[in-house]
Amino acid sequence: MIAAAFRVMWLSLLRDRAALTMAFVLPTVIFAIFAAIFSGAIGDRIRIHLGLADLAGTATTQRLVAALEAEPSLRIERLNVADEAGALRAVRRGEVDVALVLRGDLAAPVGAEQAKAAASQPVLLIESPSRALATPIALGQLQRALNDALPDVVLSRIVADVERSGKIGPDERAFLDEAFAEQRAKKEPFSFTRLVETRTTASGRGNERVSYYAGAIAAVFLLFAAMQGALSLVDEREGGLADRLAAGPGGLPVIVLGKFLFLLGQGVVQAGLIFAAAALLHGVDVSGHWFGWIVTSILVSAMAAGLALAACALSATRQQAHLAATFGVLLLSAVGGSMVPRFLMPPWLQQAGWLTPNAWAIEAYQAALGEGASAALPAWGVLAALAMAGLAVALTVVARRRI
C-alpha cells in the first residue's frame, strides 16, 4: 500500500502539467529572481544613486568628486543645478536617492566665530525619508573617500581645531600643512587610512551570499509543494475515497506513509534543482560538502512533508487546509528569513524566527555548506524532530478519525 500510494501521487503529478511546472520549474525561477534581487541589496553590492553638485569648484572639491566617481559602490549622477534648492528638488522628485552638494572649499579655514554657521560645513547632504537607508551608506562612502583620497584635507581641519584651542600657533600650523602636502605629493599613504584590516569568513569556494537564498527559497517552496501534495488527504476524505482506502491492508496510516515518502523525494529533487540553478547562475559551490547538502535536503524535505501532512490531517475542510498552505506558509517564511534575511529584522523578531522551521532549514544549509556536517548537527536535530512530530501527528489523527 505504501508503494501504491507513492505511485498514485506520482501519476497524479505527471498528469497535471500545471502542478508539475509549479513543483519543479517555478521554484528555480523564483530563486533566480530572488537571488538577483537580494544578492545585490546587502553588503558591498548596494549601489545607491547619488546626486553630486559641485557648486564650489575648488581643487579640494574636484578631488572629492573624482574619488566619489571612482567608487564602484555608488552610481554617481552629476546634478546640473545652480543652488541647493535644485538639488533638493532632485531628491524630492526621486531622481536620485540622496544628494551631496559641495558648497565650499574643504580646506578653507574656519574661524571660531563661524564654528556654528552653515558656511563652516562645506558639504550638504540632502536625504529623503522614503529612502532613509541611503543616508548612512552615502555618509559612510563620503567618509571613506575623504580618508582615502583627501587625508591631508581631513588632517588639516583637525589641526585647525587644535590651532583655535591655542595649543599651536600659525607657524606650527603652516609647518604641518606643508608636511601634509609633501606626503600627498609623494603619494605616500597616511597611517590612519591603514588603521583597519578587513577579513572575511568567505571560503572563496563559491558565491556564499547566494547560497543563503538558495536555502531560504528551498525552505519556502518545499513547504508550499508539500502542502499542495498533502491536500490529497482532505480530497480523499471529502470524496469518500478514504473509506475504501481505510479498508485496505494497514488502513490510512499506510497511505500517509506513502505520501510522506513521495513528498520527501519530491522535496529533495526540488532542492537539487534550486541549488543547480544557484551553481549555474551564481557560482554556488557545494562540491566540498555533498554529504552535508544531501542530509540537509532530506531532513528539510522530511520536515516539510511531516508538517504538511499533519496540517492537512488536522484540517476539517479543504478551506482550512488551503489557508494553512498559503497564509501559514507565508507567515512562517516571512518570520523565518526566507523572504528577508533575519539580521535585518528587529531583535525580538529575530528571536521569534527560531520558532519557525524556515529558520532551522536555512541554518542547516548555512552550517552544512559553510563549516561542515558537525556544525549542522543542532539544526539537523531540530529538523528531524519536526519531521517525526509532524508525521506522528498525521498518523495518529488519520488512525483515530471516524469517517
Side-chain angles (χ1 to χ4, degrees):
M1 290 295 290
I2 294 178
F6 186 101
R7 182 172 179 273
V8 167
M9 293 198 69
W10 172 245
L11 293 176
S12 299
L13 184 63
L14 284 180
R15 291 167 183 165
D16 190 342
R17 298 294 178 85
L20 191 65
T21 301
M22 291 189 66
F24 297 115
V25 177
L26 188 60
T28 306
V29 174
I30 296 298
F31 158 74
I33 295 173
F34 271 59
I37 293 172
F38 288 114
S39 65
I42 61 173
D44 58 357
R45 297 186 64 182
I46 296 179
R47 300 187 70 237
I48 64 170
H49 192 186
L50 175 67
L52 195 57
D54 185 5
L55 303 184
T58 66
T60 56
T61 58
Q62 290 173 2
R63 287 170 56 195
L64 179 59
V65 168
L68 291 172
E69 289 180 334
E71 176 56 51
S73 63
L74 296 174
R75 290 184 294 132
I76 299 294
E77 179 178 339
R78 298 291 293 271
L79 298 178
N80 187 20
V81 296
D83 51 23
E84 299 169 7
L88 187 66
R89 287 192 297 270
V91 175
R92 184 179 292 119
R93 290 195 296 260
E95 296 175 4
V96 292
D97 297 330
V98 64
L100 287 178
V101 180
L102 309 182
R103 55 187 182 181
D105 189 356
L106 304 180
V110 180
E113 70 282 355
Q114 296 176 312
K116 296 183 180 180
S120 66
Q121 297 174 294
V123 180
L124 170 66
L125 184 143
I126 302 174
E127 64 177 348
S128 170
S130 62
R131 294 178 291 275
L133 182 61
T135 300
I137 296 175
L139 287 173
Q141 295 298 346
L142 173 62
Q143 190 64 52
R144 177 179 173 181
L146 287 171
N147 288 344
D148 290 347
L150 291 87
D152 54 314
V153 174
V154 176
L155 290 174
S156 177
R157 294 184 69 86
I158 295 174
V159 171
D161 292 335
V162 178
E163 182 184 12
R164 286 199 305 273
S165 69
K167 301 299 182 183
I168 63 174
D171 294 338
E172 290 85 354
R173 166 70 187 276
F175 171 78
L176 290 173
D177 286 343
E178 183 180 353
F180 296 155
E182 290 179 359
Q183 187 164 359
R184 182 173 65 85
K186 295 177 182 178
K187 297 184 179 180
E188 296 179 355
F190 287 74
S191 59
F192 76 89
T193 64
R194 297 175 294 167
L195 189 63
V196 179
E197 176 189 2
T198 301
R199 294 185 182 180
T200 178
T201 61
S203 62
R205 296 174 52 255
N207 193 334
E208 297 183 20
R209 180 185 290 111
V210 175
S211 69
Y212 171 90
Y213 297 105
I217 295 299
V220 63
F221 265 99
L222 264 60
L223 281 169
F224 269 124
M227 288 296 297
Q228 293 301 317
L231 282 173
S232 60
L233 277 178
V234 182
D235 295 334
E236 291 165 0
R237 187 171 68 241
E238 292 183 345
L241 179 59
D243 289 325
R244 296 190 293 273
L245 294 174
L252 288 178
V254 176
I255 301 300
V256 171
L257 286 174
K259 294 178 183 294
F260 176 81
L261 292 176
F262 172 82
L263 294 175
L264 189 155
Q266 175 183 270
V268 172
V269 173
Q270 287 178 317
L273 291 173
I274 291 174
F275 275 90
L280 291 175
L281 299 178
H282 298 279
V284 173
D285 183 13
V286 299
S287 59
H289 298 286
W290 278 114
F291 175 76
W293 180 86
I294 291 173
V295 173
T296 301
S297 296
I298 291 174
L299 289 175
V300 173
S301 301
M303 172 273 297
L307 294 181
L309 288 169
C312 290
L314 291 169
S315 299
T317 64
R318 181 178 177 83
Q319 184 177 8
Q320 291 180 6
H322 183 69
L323 288 174
T326 51
F327 294 104
V329 173
L330 285 175
L331 179 61
L332 292 175
S333 301
V335 177
S338 286
M339 297 181 179
V340 177
R342 289 173 52 243
F343 73 87
L344 296 176
M345 300 178 184
W348 68 269
L349 198 55
Q350 293 183 32
Q351 295 302 316
W354 291 118
L355 301 177
T356 68
N358 299 68
W360 289 105
I362 296 170
E363 178 70 13
Y365 274 119
Q366 288 290 99
L369 299 181
E371 301 179 46
S374 60
L377 288 176
W380 286 355
V382 174
L383 292 173
L386 289 173
M388 290 187 292
L391 181 59
V393 169
L395 291 172
T396 302
V397 171
V398 299
R400 294 181 176 180
R401 186 182 291 275
R402 300 271 184 189
I403 302 180

